[in-house]
């Protein structure tokens, strides 16, 4: 009995060892249909009338130059483009290795962001650039070397590695409005492990796999870059900014924050809440906030150690936020859109600057 079980286990192991990962990707079984020849036309004697013929079930000629028959038929799932980046998506029904990006960061043009990502990925992975036409938004890589282990039987302990080389052409197509761009990857050259050029002989399935895999690596790099930039920006905003009394571009008394507009804006939302303002409405594109003052959000014991408080009526106010170079001007106004006088702004500045500079500000 034990001997029978042992032999069964060995038989299963040998069978599994004979099935490679490459074999499992392809159709298997009976391929007798490859030996079938076309049937001859019906022969009708001369003295009989030929019946009407129909081409209803006639199979069209294959459009692909590749004869994909028998074991050449791949049965595993095709490679899919993975639009991991916020604002990215794929074209429905497209067979190309293409992804579309929407503009998320307005600090620089979308095509510049894409090319910075591509060049960064190539540099990190030591992939040289054969040509780069920035004006026409096209780039051709140098040889991209891939290494693959050759499948061996389960009882063989040595592993053989083969090397293949590919070149890719990347194209960026920017929409006329500049807010969406399409990145396409095309495999333009392929050399097998024997050093022979085989691009013309690659099946459409393998060609798509090559292109989509390379594109997905770039998408991952794009996503990593966005998340890294967001984390750095969040850390910068939480650390706080210094500010000083000054004037806005219109000459009104204002608080000049030592931060770029896109960083000062979200920080202001935290500061205003701590100062006791509720934001009723806001429009970041125009730099306007509509506020209501409800009283400063300070602990009950803070008045024991400090006399600082806001001398403001609990009514509605307005806030004008303006970019001034690499700094930001914040102007407090009353409900009639009249800017605070210098004295009134000065009385407000101490509390404002304290919260604006406070690290890890929490609401």
């Amino acid at each position: 009995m034990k001997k029978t079980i042992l032999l069964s286990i060995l038989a299963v192991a040998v069978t599994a060892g004979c099935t490679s990962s490459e074999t499992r990707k392809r159709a298997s079984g009976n391929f007798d249909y490859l030996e079938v020849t076309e049937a001859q036309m019906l022969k009708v004697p001369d003295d009989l009338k030929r019946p009407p013929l129909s081409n209803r079930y006639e199979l069209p000629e294959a459009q692909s130059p590749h004869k994909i028959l028998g074991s050449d038929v791949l049965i595993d799932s095709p490679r899919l483009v993975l639009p991991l980046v916020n604002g990215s998506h794929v074209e429905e029904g497209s067979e190309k290795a293409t992804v579309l990006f929407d503009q998320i960061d307005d600090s620089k043009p979308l095509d510049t962001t894409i090319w910075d990502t591509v060049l960064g990925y190539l540099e990190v992975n030591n992939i040289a650039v054969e040509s780069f036409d920035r004006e026409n938004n096209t780039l051709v890589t140098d040889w991209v070397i891939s290494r693959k282990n050759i499948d061996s039987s389960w009882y063989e302990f040595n592993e053989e590695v083969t090397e293949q080389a590919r070149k890719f052409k990347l194209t960026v197509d920017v929409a006329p409005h500049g807010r969406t761009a399409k990145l396409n990857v095309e495999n333009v050259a392929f050399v097998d492990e024997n050093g022979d050029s085989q691009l013309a002989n690659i099946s459409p399935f393998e060609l798509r796999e090559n292109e989509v895999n390379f594109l997905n690596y770039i998408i991952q790099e794009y996503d990593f870059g966005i998340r890294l930039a967001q984390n750095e920006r969040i850390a910068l905003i939480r650390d706080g900014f210094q500010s000083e009394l000054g004037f806005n571009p219109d000459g009104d008394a204002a608080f000049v924050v030592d931060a770029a507009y896109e960083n000062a804006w979200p920080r202001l939302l935290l500061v205003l809440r701590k100062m006791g303002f509720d934001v009723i409405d806001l429009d970041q594109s125009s730099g306007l906030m509509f506020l209501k003052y409800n009283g400063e959000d300070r602990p009950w014991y803070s008045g024991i150690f400090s006399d600082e408080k806001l001398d403001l009526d609990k009514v509605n106010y307005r806030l004008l936020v303006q970019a001034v170079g690499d700094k930001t001007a914040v102007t407090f106004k009353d409900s009639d859109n009249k800017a605070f006088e210098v004295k009134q702004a000065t009385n407000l500045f101490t509390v404002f600057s304290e919260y604006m500079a406070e690290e890890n500000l929490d609401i």
Side-chain angles (χ1 to χ4, degrees):
M1 180 67 179
K2 292 182 179 179
K3 188 179 294 184
T4 303
I5 294 175
L6 179 60
L7 289 174
S8 299
I9 293 174
L10 288 174
V12 171
V14 170
T15 303
C18 295
T19 305
S20 67
S21 61
E22 187 64 28
T23 303
R24 291 192 294 272
K25 294 180 181 179
R26 301 183 178 275
S28 60
N30 192 325
F31 300 124
D32 291 345
Y33 71 89
L34 297 176
E35 308 299 329
V36 174
T37 58
E38 187 176 354
Q40 295 182 350
M41 294 290 294
L42 179 66
K43 293 182 178 181
V44 180
D46 295 337
D47 57 341
L48 295 178
K49 185 179 180 181
R50 180 181 295 276
L53 299 178
S54 171
N55 61 355
R56 180 178 179 182
Y57 300 105
E58 183 178 350
L59 296 177
E61 291 291 333
Q63 298 298 318
S64 173
H66 303 276
K67 292 187 66 177
I68 305 173
L69 301 169
S71 61
D72 290 336
V73 177
L74 295 180
I75 58 174
D76 66 331
S77 301
R79 288 292 188 270
L80 300 177
V81 177
L82 304 177
L84 303 175
V85 183
N86 184 25
S88 66
H89 52 101
V90 296
E91 289 182 316
E92 196 69 32
S94 174
E95 297 181 2
K96 296 182 179 180
T98 301
V99 65
L100 291 95
F101 297 108
D102 293 333
Q103 181 86 35
I104 301 297
D105 181 10
D106 291 328
S107 62
K108 57 183 176 180
L110 181 56
D111 59 337
T112 301
T113 302
I114 295 174
W115 284 125
D116 286 349
T117 301
V118 170
L119 294 173
Y121 171 77
L122 297 179
E123 182 179 359
V124 168
N125 291 275
N126 297 316
I127 301 173
V129 176
E130 182 179 279
S131 64
F132 183 27
D133 186 349
R134 183 65 178 84
E135 183 177 350
N136 293 312
N137 276 328
T138 58
L139 180 148
V140 178
T141 70
D142 203 347
W143 292 109
V144 180
I145 308 299
S146 63
R147 295 172 177 81
K148 182 172 67 174
N149 292 332
I150 300 178
D151 292 313
S152 58
S153 302
W154 64 275
Y155 50 81
E156 295 180 353
F157 298 100
N158 60 322
E159 291 186 352
E160 293 187 38
V161 179
T162 62
E163 289 189 351
Q164 297 176 337
R166 301 172 179 84
K167 286 185 179 182
F168 297 94
K169 179 181 179 181
L170 291 86
T171 307
V172 173
D173 184 15
V174 184
H177 52 72
R179 305 289 299 179
T180 301
K182 181 190 303 182
L183 174 62
N184 181 71
V185 172
E186 180 185 358
N187 191 177
V188 294
F190 172 63
V191 173
D192 64 13
E193 56 273 11
N194 299 317
D196 300 325
S197 178
Q198 296 290 345
L199 184 63
N201 299 323
I202 298 180
S203 72
F205 306 104
E206 186 176 356
L207 194 64
R208 176 176 172 81
E209 181 177 352
N210 294 342
E211 295 170 345
V212 171
N213 282 345
F214 194 75
L215 177 59
N216 283 338
Y217 291 141
I218 295 174
I219 295 174
Q220 291 175 14
E221 184 73 15
Y222 195 105
D223 180 59
F224 174 76
I226 288 179
R227 288 188 288 109
L228 180 62
Q230 287 176 339
N231 290 337
E232 291 176 347
R233 180 168 175 250
I234 291 172
L236 182 66
I237 293 171
R238 289 181 63 87
D239 283 345
F241 306 117
Q242 298 298 318
S243 54
E244 61 183 4
L245 279 169
F247 299 93
N248 66 16
D250 301 322
D252 298 321
F255 307 148
V256 180
V257 181
D258 189 15
Y261 181 89
E262 61 269 14
N263 293 332
W265 181 273
R267 177 73 183 190
L268 268 173
L269 299 178
L270 301 178
V271 171
L272 291 170
R273 179 66 180 272
K274 295 297 288 186
M275 292 176 68
F277 290 95
D278 282 341
V279 178
I280 302 172
D281 197 5
L282 72 169
D283 181 6
Q284 186 172 354
S285 62
S286 62
L288 284 176
M289 291 187 189
F290 295 87
L291 316 172
K292 183 178 181 181
Y293 182 61
N294 294 315
E296 192 177 358
D297 182 20
R298 281 177 175 261
W300 63 269
Y301 52 82
S302 62
I304 301 175
F305 307 101
S306 174
D307 294 329
E308 294 175 0
K309 62 180 181 178
L310 301 183
D311 185 17
L312 289 175
D313 295 329
K314 295 183 178 180
V315 295
N316 293 340
Y317 296 92
R318 294 185 184 185
L319 198 68
L320 176 62
V321 187
Q322 298 168 288
V324 184
D326 57 354
K327 297 185 178 183
T328 305
V330 179
T331 308
F332 279 85
K333 298 185 175 186
D334 59 23
S335 58
D336 295 326
N337 202 32
K338 183 179 179 182
F340 280 14
E341 298 293 341
V342 174
K343 182 179 180 180
Q344 191 177 13
T346 303
N347 292 337
L348 194 66
F349 177 71
T350 302
V351 176
F352 176 89
S353 60
E354 174 189 325
Y355 284 130
M356 184 58 73
E358 183 178 329
E359 293 185 5
N360 297 320
L361 187 64
D362 187 13
I363 61 170

